[in-house]
Amino acid sequence: MISGRGSNMQALVEQAEGYEVVLVACNAPQAPGLAWARAKAIPVWALDSRGTDRSAWESALDQALRDHRVGTIALAGFMRILSAQFTHDWSGRIVNIHPSLLPRYRGLDTHQRAIEAGDSCGGCSVHLVTEDLDSGEVIARSEVPMETGETACSLEAKVLAAEHRLYPLVLARFVAR
Ligand code: GRF
């Protein structure tokens, strides 16, 4: 599930081994990642979440996931908070990639916060999704060492590359568990 650029989704598609991407779902119909998925002939589902009642939006999503026989949901830059009901219904079957070494820096601006804290490493984490934001069990992490003069922008680029390596490997392991 994506909301925007979709580079992690592309990595999951391009490195799919041990799992199959059966649907790309999105809450923003203009998201660039959707166009990429369509061009690759991957089934897509998109419904604008702005101005749509949350439970109606999630029911429609739930139906689409079931129609496509989705076993595991991989959030990949999906920027909407899922309800307690939805995360409960899909409990243990939703994973997310987050651009920090959880449990440090839940939420936004993770790279800037890591730099300001004087951390020696940034990184990314794959974790289970529960109703509490970025707080589910951490499944895997990848560290990215900070260099002298590191900026949020330079760190983001290196962490994103690490995300693209980590997520497909961890998802394959997760679905085989
Ligand atoms: C990534 O940094 C991911 O960790 C975070 O949102 C960003 C999404 O980027 N959850 P993309 O849409 O996958 O390119």
Side-chain angles (χ1 to χ4, degrees):
M1 285 169 55
I2 64 168
S3 294
R5 176 178 57 184
S7 71
N8 276 287
M9 176 273 292
Q10 294 178 31
L12 290 176
V13 169
E14 284 169 343
Q15 298 173 57
E17 222 182 279
Y19 62 85
E20 185 190 351
V21 178
V22 293
L23 180 68
V24 172
C26 183
N27 67 320
Q30 303 310 320
L34 266 187
W36 185 91
R38 283 199 181 97
K40 294 274 174 192
I42 299 164
V44 302
W45 175 89
L47 179 61
D48 204 336
S49 55
R50 281 171 312 177
T52 310
D53 169 72
R54 180 156 85 164
S55 72
W57 187 88
E58 286 186 349
S59 313
L61 169 67
D62 187 77
Q63 190 58 53
L65 296 170
R66 291 177 197 284
D67 289 348
H68 288 83
R69 300 183 182 282
V70 167
T72 301
I73 301 172
L75 304 185
F78 179 71
M79 298 304 286
R80 196 162 199 247
I81 292 173
L82 294 165
S83 70
Q85 181 67 54
F86 187 90
T87 52
H88 176 78
D89 290 347
W90 286 84
S91 174
R93 293 188 293 157
I94 315 176
V95 293
N96 181 41
I97 183 120
H98 181 76
S100 78
L101 297 170
L102 289 172
R104 288 174 85 82
Y105 315 125
R106 297 180 172 122
L108 300 174
D109 297 325
T110 53
H111 306 303
Q112 188 59 37
R113 288 157 69 199
I115 288 169
E116 281 170 13
D119 293 354
S120 58
C121 280
C124 52
S125 309
V126 178
H127 66 95
L128 277 174
V129 174
T130 60
E131 67 176 292
D132 299 316
L133 185 68
D134 303 330
S135 297
E137 180 193 335
V138 174
I139 303 168
R141 306 195 301 179
S142 174
E143 290 188 355
V144 172
M146 297 260 196
E147 286 167 55
T148 316
E150 197 81 75
T151 63
C153 193
S154 63
L155 184 59
E156 181 185 1
K158 285 186 285 185
V159 170
L160 191 63
E163 292 178 30
H164 298 163
R165 290 189 295 271
L166 182 70
Y167 209 4
L169 293 175
V170 174
L171 185 61
R173 222 167 58 202
F174 183 78
V175 301
R177 76 202 180 283

